[in-house]
Amino acid sequence: MRTIAYRLVGWLAMSVATMAACAADLPDFTGLVEKNGPAVVNIQARHEGGEQAAQLPPGAGPDDDQVPEIFRRFFGMPMPRGADPTRVSLGSGFIISSDGYVLTNNHVVEGADKVTVRLSDRRELDAKVVGSDAQYDIALLKLDAGNLPVVSLGDSSRLKPGQWVVAIGSPFGFDHSVTAGIVSAVSRSFGGRDQQYVPFIQTDVAINRGNSGGPLFNLDGQVVGINSQIFSNTGGFMGVSFAIPIDVAMNAVQQIKDKGYVSRGMIGVQVERVDRDKSQALGLPNIGGALVSVVTPGSAADKAGIQVRDVILAFNGTPITDSSDLPPVVGATRPGSKADVKVFRDGKTLTLAVTVGEAPRDATAAAAGGKSAAGASNPLGLAVESLTAEQRRQLDIKGDEGVIVTNVTGAARRAGLQPGDVILMVGRSRVKGADDFNAAVKDAKPGDSVMLLVRRDDITTFIAVSVPKK
């Protein structure tokens, strides 16, 4: 019995020593937080006129009950509603220059009538939206203040899975909350229309409502990302969160400062994934790449000789292992520059030289005060284009009616519309092109509610968009 007791004591001593050694190896974030915390801010975005509750039915979008997990962006905790139709949502941000430039997410401040920034010393300052970009989900704010604390910026391209990262933000309105975790993956692309150009950093850092726009730090205390959204079926954190790489964000910031908008490369193709069956049918030696399904006539790809059924294996030296890898690489390429595209065609590998074109400009980029140029063209905050014959074929739309939504801001966004939606009717009038649509909505007055017949995927439904009151 005494021998067993001695062994038990010895085992406990070894276990305590082992735990102590493991604890000693864990990082201490206190210095990082003390140094950088003062440069992290709380952002309040005020929207007059309340929030439109109309939504597409189940099956029409990402809130489908049959989808087990969805991507969610967080504006923060909305203030309680009463008689006052004003809606206030909360987010986070961080100061990137001592003269008052603040970086946050576009979705935190988009369409806001007033943006207020609360500093760590409890001062509250009005902020001007210098510019924003919906595709990168970046917004640049300016405070009328000086000698402000700033963060240090890192190199997100050097991040590797397994590295520790730290988030500081205002989840549920709790200012300067600190959470930590590891990088789960890098260059994670979603492949959809929304933020298709962003190679996200995936982490298991706890991100919740109000964290949007806050910084993600490495252990050197440098910002490597901007917390943007999570993957969840409950609306709460489930261990999968995503951040915009700081390299991508600062490229957008510089373009906004220089020219007021963000330009992106485009070659004019639509691509799809290559699965095992397609790989076998195409004679590919390996599964992967981006299968070209559409080449836009007259586009950069068309001029370079890229053809339907080509499989893009690399773009300018960057391997393309999945179709979702292509948009971020092309989008980050300067329009007008030349790039080599490696394609697989009929059993052979070819390298084609392409002169990169420019993607249609994001209308929110040059916006001042959070109001987009698209929203200025009509009261609903929608930018639309006439459907091409190819788009009608792809979307299986008969006849000559319909316009496709290219940008959504303000009231239209709050009503649930998204880029890529097709609008078939305004009120009782069918629209046959962008001119028809803009003519139908141009006389809508503040307080009016405009009924739109909208098609998304295989669902067609009416959505009412309320024009905000001045």
Side-chain angles (χ1 to χ4, degrees), residues 421-444:
D421 287 346
V422 175
I423 298 175
L424 302 173
M425 296 178 65
V426 177
R428 296 183 179 276
S429 302
R430 294 192 175 272
V431 293
K432 296 184 178 181
D435 290 342
D436 275 1
F437 175 83
N438 288 320
V441 302
K442 69 181 179 63
D443 295 328

Side-chain angles (χ1 to χ4, degrees), residues 243-375:
I244 302 161
I246 194 63
D247 297 355
V248 171
M250 292 309 296
N251 174 273
V253 166
Q254 194 59 52
Q255 291 194 59
I256 289 171
K257 285 184 176 181
D258 291 345
K259 54 189 179 184
Y261 65 93
V262 177
S263 61
R264 274 175 287 268
M266 183 181 72
I267 60 173
V269 296
Q270 291 184 27
V271 294
E272 57 187 68
R273 295 187 65 186
V274 178
D275 57 21
R276 183 179 62 181
D277 293 337
K278 291 175 183 175
S279 176
Q280 184 177 357
L282 292 165
L284 273 170
N286 299 299
I287 300 174
L291 175 60
V292 178
S293 56
V294 175
V295 177
T296 303
S299 65
D302 186 30
K303 295 175 182 177
I306 295 175
Q307 301 176 8
V308 172
R309 284 180 55 92
D310 283 352
V311 178
I312 298 176
L313 303 177
F315 185 88
N316 229 18
T318 301
I320 305 299
T321 58
D322 190 86
S323 58
S324 63
D325 295 337
L326 187 63
V329 178
V330 176
T333 306
R334 182 174 56 84
S337 61
K338 295 187 180 299
D340 290 332
V341 182
K342 183 180 178 182
V343 304
F344 180 86
R345 179 190 301 167
D346 299 330
K348 298 178 181 179
T349 300
L350 309 173
T351 299
L352 304 174
V354 59
T355 300
V356 179
E358 183 173 4
R361 186 181 304 177
D362 184 345
T364 64
K371 303 299 182 182
S372 74

Side-chain angles (χ1 to χ4, degrees), residues 40-43 72-77 89-94 103-105 107-108 137 166-180 205-216 225-230 236-237 241-244:
V40 181
V41 300
N42 173 279
I43 296 176
R72 294 182 184 266
R73 291 173 173 176
F74 286 139
F75 291 82
M77 290 296 290
S89 53
L90 307 180
S92 303
F94 52 98
L103 196 53
T104 187
N105 286 147
H107 77 261
V108 169
D137 196 18
V166 177
I168 304 178
S170 304
F172 305 107
F174 295 116
D175 288 4
H176 291 83
S177 294
V178 182
T179 52
V205 178
I207 301 298
N208 285 289
R209 294 183 184 273
N211 272 119
S212 277
L216 185 73
I226 304 175
N227 297 310
S228 176
Q229 50 191 300
I230 68 172
F237 172 69
S241 54
F242 296 90
I244 302 161

Side-chain angles (χ1 to χ4, degrees), residues 46-52 79-88 113 414 468-470:
R46 182 178 296 270
H47 305 261
E48 303 292 345
E51 183 176 9
Q52 176 61 256
M79 302 297 287
R81 297 182 193 168
D84 186 359
T86 299
R87 178 172 59 88
V88 178
D113 296 282
R414 292 193 289 274
K469 295 181 180 180
K470 300 296 185 183

